[in-house]
Amino acid sequence: MGLCCCTMISCPVGLCAGSAAAVTLGNERTALHPEGRSRRGLLVLFGGLLLAGLLFLYLPLTIMCARADKAPWVPYKGSGHCWSEGTGTGADLGLAAGAVMGTGLSGLLCVLFRGYGHREDSCDAEETEQANVQMIV
């Protein structure tokens, strides 16, 4: 059940939490925003969450699942007790791993890609107006 919970939680819950946290913490109206040290701080925060989730939650979960199935360890197991609803093996650890890794990954991606492709000094008002007219036509 643990790997099932990890997979199902990391996408909807973790990704939403990480994206919301990155946008909120990266907002220019808050004390932390992605400029200079603040951006590096957010990268460290979300990268640390992802790494901690992998090392301290997901890795022990996979080891526990391999022991429950009496099988050799593999990074991602597609069947067994950790996918079954009946035993509940590792459900709590799977929920925590999915939430932490999903939050870390989506927050890291939001901070990394925020602001790319938006250069205010790249064109002037006349070029912008011409581009808008061409899109209408």
Side-chain angles (χ1 to χ4, degrees), residues 4-131:
C4 182
C5 289
C6 182
T7 302
M8 300 303 167
I9 290 297
S10 65
C11 292
V13 175
L15 294 178
C16 289
S19 300
V23 169
T24 302
L25 293 174
N27 190 342
E28 294 175 0
R29 295 181 182 150
T30 63
L32 296 173
H33 57 87
E35 297 290 335
R37 289 185 178 176
S38 299
R39 183 166 193 238
R40 277 184 255 131
L42 290 175
L43 289 172
V44 169
L45 171 69
F46 290 116
L49 276 175
L50 177 60
L51 188 62
L54 284 169
L55 293 177
F56 300 117
L57 297 171
Y58 184 75
L59 184 61
L61 176 65
T62 58
I63 292 170
M64 183 180 64
C65 290
R67 288 182 183 161
D69 292 336
K70 295 178 178 67
W73 178 84
V74 291
Y76 188 78
K77 190 168 177 71
S79 62
H81 283 81
C82 285
W83 281 99
S84 171
E85 294 178 10
T87 62
T89 303
D92 295 340
L93 192 56
L95 288 170
V100 171
M101 289 188 310
T103 301
L105 178 63
S106 63
L108 187 64
L109 291 175
C110 284
V111 173
L112 281 173
F113 294 112
R114 183 169 181 210
Y116 284 109
H118 295 88
R119 290 188 55 188
E120 293 177 15
D121 60 344
S122 64
C123 64
D124 59 13
E126 184 178 321
E127 290 175 4
T128 304
E129 186 176 326
Q130 288 175 353

